[in-house]
Every structure is written in C-alpha cells, then in structure tokens.
Amino acid sequence: MPHHLEVPLAGNATTRFANVSLLSVTSVLPTRVTTSDDIEERLAPALKRLRLRPGLLRRVAGVLERRNWAAGESSDEATVLAGKRALAEAGVDASEVGLLINTSVTRKHLEPSVAVRLHHGLGLPTSAVNFDVANACLGFVSGMNLAASMIESGQIRYAIVVNGEDADEIQVNTIDRLSDDGVGRDDFMSEFASLTLGSGSAAAILGRADEHPEGHRIIGGVTRAATQFHELCVGSVDGMFTDAKALLKGGLDLVVSAWKEASTEWNWSSMDRYITHQVSSVHTNAIVKAAKLDRSRVPTTFSRLGNVGPASIPITLSEEQETLKRGDRVLLMGVGSGLNTAMMELAW
C-alpha cells in the first residue's frame, strides 16, 4: 500500500511511492549544432553598439553550443522516436500503455494538446489516457510524479512521460529583436537567457516495481512553491524575459528552504548522483554551493546542449545512466519559472 506522510513538511508537498519504478529513459537530439559564436556573430553589431565583449554566452553562462532541429527533423517526430526507443528498452508493448503525459513547453498551437499527436505517433491504444502537463522546466518531473501516483493507485500499469522542445523560433525572434538599434543594454540582458536555449526530446517509461524487479525504484520526493516570483521569468515564442539576478536569488532561497525542511524526512546529503535542471555554469555552481553538493556527482550537459527546458533532466539522466550501478541513489532536482522546485529520489 502507498505510504503518505500524515503531516506534510511545513511548506512542502511530500510524496512517497511503494511500488513504482522507472523502467527506461531515452533521448533524441537534433543533428544541427549552433555554437554560441554563431549566435554572437549574428549579434555582433548589437554587441559592439552596447559595448558588450564577445564571448558573453561562454563567459557568463558557460554555454558553448546547443542543438537545433535540422531540415527534415522536428520535435514531435523526435519525441515519438524517443518514446518508441523507451518502450523497446523497457520491454513494454505500446498496447499495454495506459497513460501518456506530454510535458513540453513547446507547442505549435493552443489546441488540441501536443499529447494527441504523440499518442497517435506512438500507436497507443484508445484506452490510453493522454494530456499535456505544463510546469515550465519542472514539467518532466511533475509528469513523472503524476504518472507514478496513477500507477501506485492501480489506475494504470504503464505510463510514458515525454518531452520535446524546439528553441528555433524563440531564438530567431530574440536575435532579430536584439539587433534593433532601439534596444538598450538592460533590454539585451533581460533576454540573454533566451540565447542559451536548446532543442531536444526525451521519454521515460514507468511501471509497477513488483512486476519489474530490474527497474529503478521511484522513492518519492518533495515540491515547494514561491509563486510571489511568477513575473521573474516570462516566456513565449516571441521571447523570454528574465530578471536573472532576482530569479537566481529567489530560486536558491527556494531550493535551500525546501532542502532544509526535507532533511528531517529525507537524507539527500550524500547521493551518488544529482541530476539537476541544466541552465548555466552560474546556476549550477550556485546550487552546488547552496546545497553543499559534491561537485563531482553533479553531471552537466548545458555547455553543449544549452537549456533544453523540461527535457534537460531526462536527457542528462539518459546520458548518465551508463555510469550508474545497481543500488546507486539518484536525486532529480530543479527550479522552474513561477517559481517552483521539485526533488525526486530514485534507487537505481
């Protein structure tokens, strides 16, 4: 039977799972590489006019390059491919899936959901529930948490959680706008984060632990909100506008307060791996310092993939799984615009 704390931690939503496992996690990356030098070359006149030294993206964010979908590629098709690979690796047939949750920020239209296209592409049965979940860069972890709850309750046997991001349009729009002579230094820096975005897709299969002893147990975790900061990072396909300094401080305060309160019920000080949401070198270094993490146990992908939104955690986990061994403790953790934070423990 599932176990839930009768008295949740003050300010935290706490969840524990007794019989849910991660069966597979996969990623599909675009083939087109866009370097930070490429982007800054297109912005050279603006950088010169604003007296900003070249190498800003490398120096400030630590982002050397990111991926963009090439001709003939798309986030939807790549997400379907990631999903098919995840099903194959998990040994689960599409006909057995009872739930699909799409967690993408990227969407081509307001309706229908992105999930319906992916449901069709994956050949899932008509009985498979499908919908989108939006929670900024925490979307994938939120989707995993919801899927795990439905498995734990007995509603479904298998769930697939997917994400596909396409940063092309927002990057093109941002570069065009920042190239305008009327843009000032403050305006430029408020949109700086848009230039660090990258594209990619990921998928994960969740199922019952008692049916899959080879799986990776999802132990549970905590979430915490600081929604007074909902205006610090606001984005659309037109652009993403961020108060970077306030966002970093608010995010760190949120993570530290959640971490401290969770420490009475969870011991996360010596995990074997911390899979964090990938933003930048500044963000990663700040999280490592604030939570006193072992830097060698915090793998990073932002330098070559940029910030791939909700896909960054599963992409990083997918790449890291080859180095994980049975029994390793893994913590997924991140902060999403809004602000929200989430931490989820896995027993590999």
Side-chain angles (χ1 to χ4, degrees):
M1 293 291 289
H3 170 67
H4 300 282
L5 294 179
E6 292 184 5
V7 181
L9 302 175
N12 286 69
T14 302
T15 311
R16 292 181 183 272
F17 300 109
N19 192 30
V20 185
S21 283
L22 172 67
L23 306 184
S24 64
V25 58
T26 63
S27 63
V28 174
L29 299 177
T31 60
R32 180 161 62 97
V33 175
T34 303
T35 68
S36 291
D37 289 344
D38 292 337
I39 288 178
E40 291 195 12
E41 186 175 339
R42 293 157 68 185
L43 285 167
L47 292 171
K48 183 177 180 180
R49 179 173 56 81
L50 297 172
R51 297 180 180 178
L52 292 169
R53 279 196 298 137
L56 192 65
L57 283 160
R58 290 170 173 264
R59 192 170 63 252
V60 176
V63 176
L64 309 183
E65 59 188 36
R66 75 284 293 134
R67 299 293 186 94
N68 293 101
W69 302 109
E73 299 175 345
S74 74
S75 58
D76 285 349
E77 290 179 359
T79 304
V80 168
L81 179 57
K84 289 181 176 179
R85 288 179 180 173
L87 286 168
E89 289 186 15
V92 175
D93 191 88
S95 63
E96 299 178 285
V97 174
L99 171 70
L100 177 145
I101 301 178
N102 170 65
T103 63
S104 304
V105 171
T106 297
R107 54 170 54 247
K108 294 183 176 67
H109 37 63
L110 290 175
E111 62 174 319
S113 68
V114 179
V116 295
R117 182 187 294 271
L118 304 176
H119 180 284
H120 176 71
L122 286 165
L124 301 185
T126 58
S127 56
V129 180
N130 60 95
F131 50 80
D132 294 350
V133 163
N135 193 16
C137 291
L138 284 182
F140 203 93
V141 177
S142 297
M144 288 180 65
N145 191 71
L146 179 55
S149 297
M150 292 179 68
I151 291 170
E152 188 94 313
S153 71
Q155 289 179 264
I156 56 171
R157 284 181 68 203
Y158 296 107
I160 179 168
V161 181
V162 296
N163 183 275
E165 300 300 337
D166 186 343
D168 274 25
E169 188 172 0
I170 188 173
Q171 273 182 1
V172 169
N173 291 340
T174 299
I175 291 170
D176 287 346
R177 184 167 44 253
L178 294 181
S179 298
D180 190 278
D181 288 343
V183 170
R185 195 182 181 110
D186 289 343
D187 297 324
F188 188 100
M189 295 312 297
S190 75
E191 295 197 62
F192 179 77
S194 300
L195 304 176
T196 68
L197 298 177
S199 304
S201 293
I205 305 297
L206 280 64
R208 291 169 56 96
D210 57 6
E211 294 183 342
H212 292 274
E214 78 286 357
H216 316 295
R217 281 281 314 283
I218 298 179
I219 307 301
V222 302
T223 66
R224 184 182 173 104
T227 54
Q228 67 269 29
F229 299 122
H230 64 275
E231 294 184 341
L232 292 184
C233 181
V234 179
S236 70
V237 293
D238 293 325
M240 187 167 70
F241 302 87
T242 304
D243 183 337
K245 186 176 181 180
L247 187 67
L248 181 61
K249 183 183 185 305
L252 285 178
D253 289 346
L254 180 61
V255 168
V256 170
S257 59
W259 184 275
K260 287 181 178 177
E261 287 178 2
S263 65
T264 60
E265 294 290 339
W266 304 85
N267 178 19
W268 290 329
S269 61
S270 57
M271 305 296 283
D272 295 291
R273 208 76 89 249
Y274 297 91
I275 307 297
T276 62
H277 169 55
Q278 302 292 299
V279 180
S280 67
S281 54
V282 173
H283 178 273
T284 300
N285 292 338
I287 290 289
V288 167
K289 182 179 179 180
K292 298 182 174 62
L293 306 182
D294 181 341
R295 185 67 178 80
S296 67
R297 300 183 182 187
V298 185
T300 58
T301 54
F302 63 80
S303 65
R304 54 191 171 80
L305 299 180
N307 178 352
V308 200
S312 71
I313 285 179
I315 287 174
T316 305
L317 179 60
S318 176
E319 293 192 358
E320 199 67 13
Q321 62 185 330
E322 292 183 5
T323 69
L324 292 170
K325 60 183 184 296
R326 193 73 179 171
D328 279 352
R329 298 177 68 204
V330 179
L331 189 68
L332 312 183
M333 59 186 297
V335 178
S337 300
L339 289 169
N340 285 296
T341 189
M343 301 169 197
M344 173 180 278
E345 181 177 348
L346 307 179
W348 206 259

